[in-house]
């Protein structure tokens, strides 16, 4: 049956596998952000937690968009199994260092899919993935901005931590 299904789609198997892997990465990112938001919430950083709760939801939307695309073009979207995610962080700043690293990894994975689409002449999937390319530019910018704020605001004082939490909560809201 698999061969029959493959005949009914222009989606190459290699690209379908890569898209399913990206689905998993987006779902994992959602879970990571949820755990980060929970840590922030438990540690009194309410505005930063709100920001990362919204990021968790946004990553879930990215996952669903990919998942639905695979099915739409005749592929087989696979519901990913997500492993354990880190629940504890050594510091406020380490949460955002992990977030930036995660975004860079997602960007690199998306770029590899786009390159594979070009190699396979899959222009429809390449065009679909361009939305993710633009989105990742914004995601990395926001993650870098959060880390820059740690350098700009004195986080050694309670007032500084409060101000930093408030400023991080504003990231992404300007767009």
């Amino acid at each position: 049956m698999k061969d029959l299904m493959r005949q009914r789609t222009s989606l190459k198997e290699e690209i379908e596998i890569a898209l399913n892997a990206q689905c998993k990465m987006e779902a994992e990112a959602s879970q990571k952000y949820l755990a980060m938001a929970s840590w922030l919430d438990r540690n009194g950083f309410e505005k930063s937690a709100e920001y990362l709760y919204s990021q968790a939801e946004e990553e879930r939307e990215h996952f669903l968009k990919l998942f639905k695309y695979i099915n739409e073009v005749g592929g087989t979207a696979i519901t990913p199994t997500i492993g354990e995610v880190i629940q504890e962080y050594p510091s406020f700043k380490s949460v955002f260092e992990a977030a930036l690293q995660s975004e860079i990894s997602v960007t690199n994975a998306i770029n590899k899919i786009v390159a594979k689409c070009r190699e396979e002449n899959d222009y429809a999937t390449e065009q679909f993935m361009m939305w993710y390319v633009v989105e990742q530019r914004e995601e990395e910018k926001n993650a870098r901005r959060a880390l820059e704020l740690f350098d700009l605001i004195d986080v050694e004082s309670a007032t500084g931590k409060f101000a930093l939490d408030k400023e991080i909560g504003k990231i992404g809201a300007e767009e």
Side-chain angles (χ1 to χ4, degrees), residues 101-120:
Q101 189 53 51
S102 178
E103 292 301 343
I104 290 169
S105 295
V106 169
T107 298
N108 290 336
I110 287 168
N111 289 341
K112 286 178 184 173
I113 293 172
V114 170
K116 180 51 96 176
C117 289
R118 288 180 180 170
E119 184 182 306
E120 296 290 337

Side-chain angles (χ1 to χ4, degrees), residues 19-125:
L19 291 173
N20 273 306
Q22 190 63 37
C23 278
K24 181 173 182 158
M25 189 174 239
E26 298 290 345
E28 286 172 340
S30 178
Q31 295 301 316
K32 287 177 189 176
Y33 279 135
L34 193 60
M36 290 173 184
S38 178
W39 185 92
L40 291 165
D41 225 352
R42 289 190 319 271
N43 286 280
F45 302 109
E46 293 176 2
K47 298 296 181 187
S48 295
E50 287 175 23
Y51 169 63
L52 288 183
Y53 281 132
S54 70
Q55 285 299 109
E57 187 59 33
E58 188 173 304
E59 296 300 333
R60 185 174 185 283
E61 290 170 8
H62 296 173
F63 155 70
L64 282 173
K65 185 174 182 154
L66 274 165
F67 194 83
K68 289 177 180 179
Y69 175 80
I70 295 166
N71 284 329
E72 175 186 313
V73 296
T76 302
I78 299 169
T79 305
T81 301
I82 307 301
E84 293 282 327
V85 295
I86 295 170
Q87 301 293 323
E88 297 299 325
Y89 292 87
S91 67
F92 188 15
K93 185 176 183 180
S94 70
V95 170
F96 292 96
E97 289 169 335
L100 177 57
Q101 189 53 51
S102 178
E103 292 301 343
I104 290 169
S105 295
V106 169
T107 298
N108 290 336
I110 287 168
N111 289 341
K112 286 178 184 173
I113 293 172
V114 170
K116 180 51 96 176
C117 289
R118 288 180 180 170
E119 184 182 306
E120 296 290 337
N121 297 322
D122 184 346
Y123 305 114
T125 303

Side-chain angles (χ1 to χ4, degrees), residues 26 58 62 65 103 106-107 110-111 114 118 126-142 144 175:
E26 298 290 345
E58 188 173 304
H62 296 173
K65 185 174 182 154
E103 292 301 343
V106 169
T107 298
I110 287 168
N111 289 341
V114 170
R118 288 180 180 170
E126 179 183 350
Q127 185 272 331
F128 171 78
M129 292 304 296
M130 285 298 118
W131 181 88
Y132 286 89
V133 170
V134 172
E135 180 68 13
Q136 279 310 116
R137 190 173 62 227
E138 177 189 330
E139 298 288 353
E140 278 194 45
K141 178 191 83 157
N142 289 344
R144 270 192 302 280
E175 295 160 12

